[in-house]
Amino acid sequence: MPNAEKKLEASSTAPPPPSPPWVELPAEITMDILQRLGTIEILESAQRVCSTWRKVCHDPAMWRVIDLKRFVFRSKVAKVLEKICRLAVRRSQGQLFKISIENFGNERLLSYIASRSSQLRHLRLVKCYNRLSGGLASAAKNFPFLEELHIYFTSITKNDIEIVGRSCRLLKSFVLHAGPFDKVRTPPSQDNDKAVAIGRCMPGLRHLALIENNLTNEGLQAILDGCPHLESLDLRCCCCIDLEGDLGRRCSQQIVNLKQPRDSTCDYEFDCKIRHYRSFEDYCRFRFSNYNPFIVGDIHEYDYYF
């Protein structure tokens, strides 16, 4: 027999190479390991490693938590991220429990999530600015089990708050940080209207944060009256509030964890600078004058590539 034929015969009878050791792991352990990766890493890399991982990456249980944050907004990147987010939501098959979106959220995407995620408990929206256009109110009607709603640098209205409160009866934690992005400064009357809506429609709140909000004592009073179960209240950089006197004493007595307007923001996840004024009236005079160069703070941006 020629040498070539002998080699061919030997190769045909040789055992296949051993499988990688991770293939033998139980599916639940593999899933636990892969879930430590980010959404991008799973879709762009992990699911392409082997057929076993690909199968695990298609399991709806892999997509109960979707974390898409710390991305800079660029139109091309935002479109890609929106497609990735839609794919992840689709793979969850209704089991989505928690989702965080930063810099690319919009009304269309929120509507898509709402139509496929009725079990959602935690929703975090960062730097959607004015791109929701009433989408939060529409989406909230499909989130009956929502417990946490955290909104940063995103415009929402009094109507959004009212509908969220009426639709999401299990809501326990609400964060609203409008931030310095808004070129047209919101007058205290509008933020007081939002505060009244919180007090009237979110009575079950345990945790509330209103960072850089323009509400006054009137709005704060409405919140304290309407949210008797509040345990923590974050009012940092809410410089239209004056906690001297009876209202300050009531806050101290009613709230276990109270962060006052001038408290440090060094532990806050975004940069938020506190400006100091000689008096509350001095702040209001400067804050709401016709020309206002006041800048509250800078927000860290990070470039992520995939």
Side-chain angles (χ1 to χ4, degrees), residues 76-96:
K76 291 184 179 180
V77 175
K79 290 178 182 178
V80 173
L81 289 172
E82 182 173 343
K83 290 181 180 179
I84 288 174
C85 185
R86 287 171 180 260
L87 174 59
V89 170
R90 197 158 57 244
R91 286 194 181 180
S92 73
Q93 295 185 21
Q95 296 186 29
L96 184 60

Side-chain angles (χ1 to χ4, degrees), residues 41 69-74 77 81 102-103 127 299-306:
E41 289 79 5
K69 60 186 180 183
R70 298 299 188 193
F71 292 97
V72 172
F73 178 79
R74 296 193 181 105
V77 175
L81 289 172
E102 184 164 340
N103 263 319
K127 298 179 187 176
I299 308 305
H300 287 310
E301 301 279 13
Y302 301 89
D303 284 306
Y304 278 69
Y305 300 96
F306 54 90

Side-chain angles (χ1 to χ4, degrees), residues 27-28 30-32 34-35 42-43 47 51-65 87-96:
E28 59 272 16
T30 301
M31 185 177 298
D32 181 67
L34 295 181
Q35 283 175 333
I42 294 172
L43 292 175
Q47 70 171 359
S51 59
T52 299
W53 280 20
R54 182 173 179 80
K55 181 179 179 181
V56 171
C57 289
H58 278 75
D59 190 323
M62 271 289 294
W63 303 102
R64 298 186 74 238
V65 176
L87 174 59
V89 170
R90 197 158 57 244
R91 286 194 181 180
S92 73
Q93 295 185 21
Q95 296 186 29
L96 184 60

Side-chain angles (χ1 to χ4, degrees), residues 5 11 17 56 81 91 97 134 151 191 195 197 199 201 246 251 274 278 286 295 297-298:
E5 292 183 3
S11 62
V56 171
L81 289 172
R91 286 194 181 180
F97 179 83
I151 299 176
D191 278 345
C201 301
D246 293 341
C251 285
I274 301 175
R278 290 187 299 272
F286 183 71
I295 300 176
D298 301 318

Side-chain angles (χ1 to χ4, degrees), residues 129 151-156 176-182 186 191 194 210-214:
Y129 302 117
I151 299 176
Y152 306 84
F153 314 109
T154 300
S155 291
I156 66 170
L176 180 58
H177 183 175
F181 74 90
D182 193 355
T186 305
D191 278 345
K194 293 177 184 178
L210 297 172
I211 313 295
E212 286 188 314
N213 196 285
N214 290 332

